[in-house]
Amino acid sequence: MMLRIKRVPTVVSNYQKDEAEEGARRVEGCGRNCLNQCCIPGAKLPLYAFKKRNVNNGDTGVPGHDKREPPVAFLDSLLLGQWEDRMQRGLFRYDVTACETKVIEGQYGFIAQLNEGRHLKKRPTEFRVDKVLQPFDSSKFNFTKVGQEEVLFQFEASEDGEVHFFPSAPIDVENSPSVVAINVSPIEYGHVLLIPRIFERLPQRIDRESFLLALHMAAEAGSPYFRLGYNSLGAFATINHLHFQAYFLDVTFPIEKAPTKKISTLNAEVKVSELLNYPVRGLVFEGGKTMEDLSYTVSDACICLQENNIPYNVLISDCGKRIFLLPQCYAEKQALGEVSAEILDTQVNPAVWEISGHMVLKRKKDYDEASDENAWKLLAEVSLSEERFQEVNALIFERIASGNNGNENLPEDPEVKPRSHEEVDTTINKSSRTAMVSGTQECIVLQ
């Protein structure tokens, strides 16, 4: 089945401007109208102030509870409307709407896209791929270096518990607002970046506050076809500046259709399940008495993976009500020569979107020959072994249990008992390989 979307002309580079227009426009500071101190004084951007969803405000914590009309349609008018405006202005590196896309016939319904432009014009990775946690390096590319024209709006919690929209609001550098910007190397229609607390220059690592912000964005969008994704370092993040990705695609992802097996329900009523019959092993989190319950449980799990140097990807689905956590080890296997030449020749880097079933292919040959079998074969290289996956689960459950002094988020009715931390340590020590970083076995990192 072919998917078709409107094609809009664009140009190759962010900085490919019409000379007459550029000459008529006065730009202060460094001349690039960026988000650094040289250009930011006096600058203004639209501001969308969302209502926090929690029981303390008198709602249920479930997205969509408040039925009052917002001052602006967040997804259609603001996000997608502003994204199309930037496309008309030629701010993207290539025309993603001209990319061929199809749903592959077969049991799983993998989605294939031929995107040769992303391969040729995407920014290169500028850091080591064997460390999940690395310090922020201001000399490398980061999002304070983008032009202000690439930023769509500021995204902040409302101070009075109501939704507000301000078409032009000052940028409060001291309070470091979160912003939504275009991804100039887009994968799909409406591809944007959520950059939490941009001026704090946070490295690419999950924290509780930032992850909750991402769930609020998913809830504000209010569409199951608008999803957010996260890639850690070592799992094909290419910029070491904290950000989530998001875009709109009105097809159900294969991972969203995959069967699951319940592992446990935690005290905060967060249900944890395991993916079944899917090429990548992962956990699925849903439920919770409040949005915070769900968010903090998942963010604590992510923090556990980070601290143990385990690369991972996250898909935020179903308006923020369903979250997939996917530890992976493709980059390490690749470095060790354990990935077949056939897979390597595709030049596909399996990040969150590919793992979710949206295969971004760089060669027409791979697109023409796309099949369930080929997609499964590639994604299977990403997955931890069953043994290693259960060891990682044990680490995650221990972290979740200790996240609130051991009194909350404990498993109430586990159907699959994770191994204890001591058992994990014993297994890892027995099968350790040379120069292995703590927390890795199959995904070893050479020092």
Side-chain angles (χ1 to χ4, degrees), residues 228-239:
L228 281 86
Y230 176 87
N231 302 315
S232 78
L233 301 188
F236 300 104
T238 55
I239 306 297

Side-chain angles (χ1 to χ4, degrees), residues 240-254:
N240 188 21
H241 189 176
L242 181 57
H243 65 286
F244 296 82
Q245 301 185 46
Y247 60 75
F248 181 87
L249 183 62
D250 59 348
V251 177
T252 303
F253 282 176

Side-chain angles (χ1 to χ4, degrees), residues 114-126:
L114 177 60
N115 193 329
E116 297 168 298
R118 185 173 175 84
H119 168 52
L120 297 172
K121 296 159 187 153
K122 190 174 183 292
R123 286 192 179 95
T125 301
E126 297 182 306

Side-chain angles (χ1 to χ4, degrees), residues 79 150-155 178-182 192-194 217:
L79 193 150
E150 294 180 14
V151 181
L152 303 184
F153 53 89
Q154 304 175 73
F155 186 67
S178 300
V179 302
V180 175
I182 60 171
V192 296
L193 305 170
L194 171 64
M217 183 174 176

Side-chain angles (χ1 to χ4, degrees), residues 4-5 13 22 36 55 65 84 88 91 101 114 129 140 199 254 285 288 293 297 306 319 372-373 376 378 414:
R4 299 186 181 277
I5 54 179
S13 171
E22 187 70 15
N36 274 312
V55 293
H65 175 76
E84 287 207 359
Q88 297 281 4
L91 298 184
T101 300
L114 177 60
V129 298
K140 306 295 185 183
F199 298 115
F285 297 80
D293 291 332
T297 299
Q306 292 168 174
C319 306
D372 267 6
E373 180 182 359
W376 188 285
L378 188 152

Side-chain angles (χ1 to χ4, degrees), residues 9-14 16 87 89-95:
T10 190
V11 295
V12 170
S13 171
N14 311 52
Q16 187 177 358
M87 175 166 276
R89 290 159 59 179
L91 298 184
F92 295 94
R93 291 175 179 263
Y94 51 82
D95 182 4

Side-chain angles (χ1 to χ4, degrees), residues 18 24 51 92 121 146 151-152 162-163 192 205 229 243 276 280-281 284 321 344 388 400 422:
D18 180 83
K51 175 183 176 180
F92 295 94
K121 296 159 187 153
V146 306
V151 181
L152 303 184
E162 300 296 334
V163 177
V192 296
R205 60 185 300 173
H243 65 286
L276 298 177
V280 182
R281 294 178 177 87
V284 185
K321 293 180 286 188
L344 292 175
R388 179 59 183 145
I400 292 172
E422 291 75 15

